[in-house]
Amino acid sequence: MVDYDAAVAAVQDPNADPILLAKIAYENPEFGANVAVNPRCYPGLKRWIAEFGDERARETLAQYGFTAEAFGGPVQDQEAPSQAALQAAEQQPADAYAADQYAAAQPAADQYAAQQPAAQAAFEEPVATNPYGFTAEQALTTTDQMQIAQIAQYAPELRACIARNPNTYPALIEWLGQLGDPAINAALASRQ
């Protein structure tokens, strides 16, 4: 649990640790609005606050144009079938429904298979072009959460490596998935 005085100091610090800010927002919802306006509050944390924060935090983010809808709406369970799919299943025989689901999933499976060679090429050692000296090996192996966040921020060419790092924190994984980069998406798919 973050001490109240430490939480007050952290939300006012423009160089606060993003992980500490996430912990504060989770453990102390009354600080959500302060965390949301901190310059070190990363997009995944803002999305979480926009969806799960208290009313004051959501209003503060809305003033800056951040709402749960702006981030693509509420977080959905990707495995759960939609309400329309459930209604369709009730209206048609099980065999026809299964065939429809298989046909609907096939283009995505084909697209995934087509991307595999490109994904393997993306996993080859990327050329680090950042002026901060971050390397692909650091991005793949570091356990320092602050360094992972810095690499993601300052070395975009290494984001696919960060996506493969098993120590990358969940909110950053979620943010990387929202970027829509094929190499990052392939790296994220390899985590599972």
Side-chain angles (χ1 to χ4, degrees), residues 8-183:
V8 170
V11 297
Q12 294 175 352
D13 181 5
N15 296 316
D17 178 13
I19 306 302
L20 178 60
L21 291 175
K23 185 174 180 166
I24 291 168
Y26 181 74
E27 292 178 351
N28 305 83
E30 68 272 13
F31 285 109
N34 299 53
V35 169
V37 297
N38 187 297
R40 300 282 289 179
C41 182
Y42 53 91
L45 180 54
K46 286 182 182 178
R47 177 182 179 159
W48 185 87
I49 293 171
E51 188 169 346
F52 301 110
D54 66 6
E55 187 64 31
R56 189 172 138 250
R58 288 195 305 268
E59 288 174 6
T60 300
L61 279 171
Q63 291 172 356
Y64 288 94
F66 293 102
T67 62
E69 289 75 30
F71 286 108
V75 176
Q76 298 290 325
D77 181 0
Q78 297 300 318
E79 299 298 319
S82 67
Q83 190 64 28
L86 291 173
Q87 289 174 348
E90 292 173 0
Q91 295 174 353
Q92 55 181 301
D95 291 343
Y97 177 70
D100 287 348
Q101 292 302 308
Y102 176 80
Q106 200 56 36
D110 293 342
Q111 180 183 9
Y112 177 77
Q115 289 177 348
Q116 288 310 301
Q120 294 303 325
F123 289 157
E124 293 177 13
E125 188 83 18
V127 178
T129 59
N130 64 84
Y132 302 98
F134 293 124
T135 66
E137 175 148 352
Q138 280 178 312
L140 287 166
T141 61
T142 185
T143 59
D144 181 354
Q145 298 298 308
M146 188 64 190
Q147 188 176 50
I148 289 172
Q150 289 172 338
I151 293 170
Q153 181 177 5
Y154 299 119
E157 72 277 8
L158 299 177
R159 287 179 179 158
C161 294
I162 290 293
R164 291 178 53 211
N165 186 329
N167 303 305
T168 301
Y169 52 95
L172 182 55
I173 293 294
E174 182 181 341
W175 178 77
L176 289 169
Q178 294 173 0
L179 296 177
D181 183 304

